[in-house]
Amino acid sequence: MPEITKAIIPLAGMATRHLPLSKVVPKEFFPLGDKPLLHYILEEVKAAGVKEVIFVVNANKKIVADYFKKSPQLEKILEEKKQDDLLESLSEIEKLASGLTFSYVSDKPLGDGHAVLQARKFVGEEPCFVIYPDDIIEARDPCLSQLAQVFRTAGRPIVGLFEVPREKLFSYGVVAPEKIASRLYKIKGIVEKPAPETASSRLVITGRSVITPEVFDYLKKAKPNKKGEISLTETFGQMVKDGKIIYGYQCEGRWWECGNKESWLKSSVYFAANHPKFGKEVRKFIKEEKLI
């Protein structure tokens, strides 16, 4: 199988669950610790060997592009003030962008499947990653790298899976799995937001996948759902119904969700308390203020 060198990052959603903040700040730039969500995503794709990133954007193209550009005027001010620690922070962004090429394609908020489809002209006939900025996965081996390893032998679309408590299954796309090997499953069905008592497993789809040209073909034919959107998860489900093989891999690591206010706030507390520089003082503050 060819190496996966491209990644699609959909950013065209409205992020209504984060209003009113998301009215002025794109969700991908919400802070987690002292970095925006998008920074963590770029760290993961780069660690997985990606060379080209395709952003699917709406009106926020400029802020995404600006984040990765050099800031000569700001750097000059910091140099004059001898604020080397802040210059180092800027250099981290420069290092992150080094070796990556960025492409942008515009889309309207018509569902993540519609957003992914817009990137096809940049991907061509290659396999590629799809990764969402509101799912941060803390892992020794990047989640995308884990999926790529499976793809090298499987050669079929793969979705990243995590196990969640049964009472929370109504919030996710839940798979009916057939176990093939340790952590590896053949997907037999996908149900969006099932009642917990009817769910076929506790394995849910997270914001990581490897897709092939065939997935784009299905997205092109897909019809909008009741919300008027084209869903990538629903498209995977249709492929399974048609007898297409799709695998699921239960990724190693810890999944930090940021797709709604509650999960983002919880994740923020964890990343603040475990920050390599500020974590000790944050934990001290939590203890002194008797916050827990």
Side-chain angles (χ1 to χ4, degrees):
M1 291 295 108
E3 293 296 310
I4 303 173
T5 61
K6 297 181 180 181
I8 300 171
I9 304 180
L11 303 176
M14 296 180 67
T16 52
R17 288 182 290 180
H18 283 284
L19 287 170
L21 180 57
S22 58
K23 183 180 178 182
V24 293
V25 179
K27 180 173 62 176
E28 59 270 18
F29 284 100
F30 280 23
L32 196 62
D34 63 343
K35 296 183 291 188
L37 295 175
L38 187 60
H39 194 108
Y40 294 92
I41 296 300
L42 264 291
E43 287 177 336
E44 182 173 342
V45 299
K46 189 168 185 179
V50 167
K51 302 299 181 185
E52 181 177 349
V53 177
I54 303 104
F55 294 112
V56 185
V57 299
N58 46 35
N60 59 353
K61 174 182 175 180
K62 186 177 186 302
I63 188 172
V64 174
D66 285 349
Y67 184 74
F68 297 105
K69 285 181 180 177
K70 286 180 67 65
S71 305
Q73 186 175 0
L74 177 57
E75 290 175 12
K76 183 179 179 181
I77 293 172
L78 295 177
E79 287 173 356
E80 291 172 350
K81 294 185 175 182
K82 302 186 184 306
Q83 293 181 301
D84 295 339
D85 55 335
L86 299 182
L87 281 168
E88 179 61 28
S89 295
L90 289 180
S91 71
E92 287 180 14
I93 302 175
E94 188 176 338
K95 291 174 184 175
L96 181 61
S98 176
L100 294 173
T101 61
F102 300 128
S103 302
Y104 300 86
V105 58
S106 298
D107 191 33
K108 298 178 180 179
L110 298 174
D112 63 337
H114 191 272
V116 169
L117 181 60
Q118 307 316 301
R120 181 168 194 171
K121 62 182 179 181
F122 293 100
V123 176
E125 296 302 309
E126 301 176 36
C128 71
F129 295 118
V130 177
I131 180 170
Y132 296 86
D134 51 7
D135 286 327
I136 304 301
I137 298 175
E138 191 180 33
R140 181 180 301 177
D141 187 22
C143 184
L144 290 183
S145 296
Q146 297 177 45
L147 298 183
Q149 182 66 30
V150 176
F151 182 78
R152 290 187 185 102
T153 55
R156 305 281 185 169
I158 306 164
V159 294
L161 303 176
F162 275 86
E163 189 173 71
V164 303
R166 183 163 291 275
E167 64 270 18
K168 294 185 177 182
L169 294 176
F170 67 89
S171 298
Y172 304 94
V174 180
V175 302
E178 176 187 317
K179 191 166 187 177
I180 296 175
S182 177
R183 295 183 170 271
L184 181 62
Y185 302 86
K186 182 179 179 181
I187 305 300
K188 307 297 287 185
I190 302 173
V191 179
E192 276 279 18
K193 299 179 171 64
E197 62 273 12
T198 66
S200 54
S201 78
R202 290 170 49 205
L203 291 171
V204 305
I205 295 175
T206 188
R208 303 287 188 278
S209 61
V210 176
I211 65 172
T212 60
E214 188 174 29
V215 177
F216 285 117
D217 295 338
Y218 265 80
L219 287 171
K220 190 174 182 179
K221 296 183 294 183
K223 295 181 179 179
N225 57 24
K226 293 180 180 179
K227 295 181 179 180
E229 300 177 343
I230 295 175
S231 163
L232 181 59
T233 296
E234 291 174 5
T235 300
F236 285 140
Q238 185 59 53
M239 292 178 70
V240 171
K241 289 180 182 178
D242 290 348
K244 303 298 182 181
I245 296 176
I246 293 181
Y247 293 105
Y249 184 76
Q250 187 178 355
C251 296
E252 297 183 44
R254 190 167 183 179
W255 177 19
W256 294 101
E257 298 182 74
C258 299
N260 59 67
K261 289 183 181 180
E262 181 181 335
S263 62
W264 169 59
L265 289 170
K266 288 178 179 178
S267 299
S268 296
V269 171
Y270 171 85
F271 276 81
N274 289 276
H275 190 280
K277 182 177 180 181
F278 306 115
K280 183 178 179 180
E281 285 301 315
V282 171
R283 293 192 298 273
K284 181 181 177 182
F285 171 77
I286 291 173
K287 185 177 180 180
E288 290 176 347
E289 296 297 320
K290 299 179 181 179
L291 299 180
I292 55 173

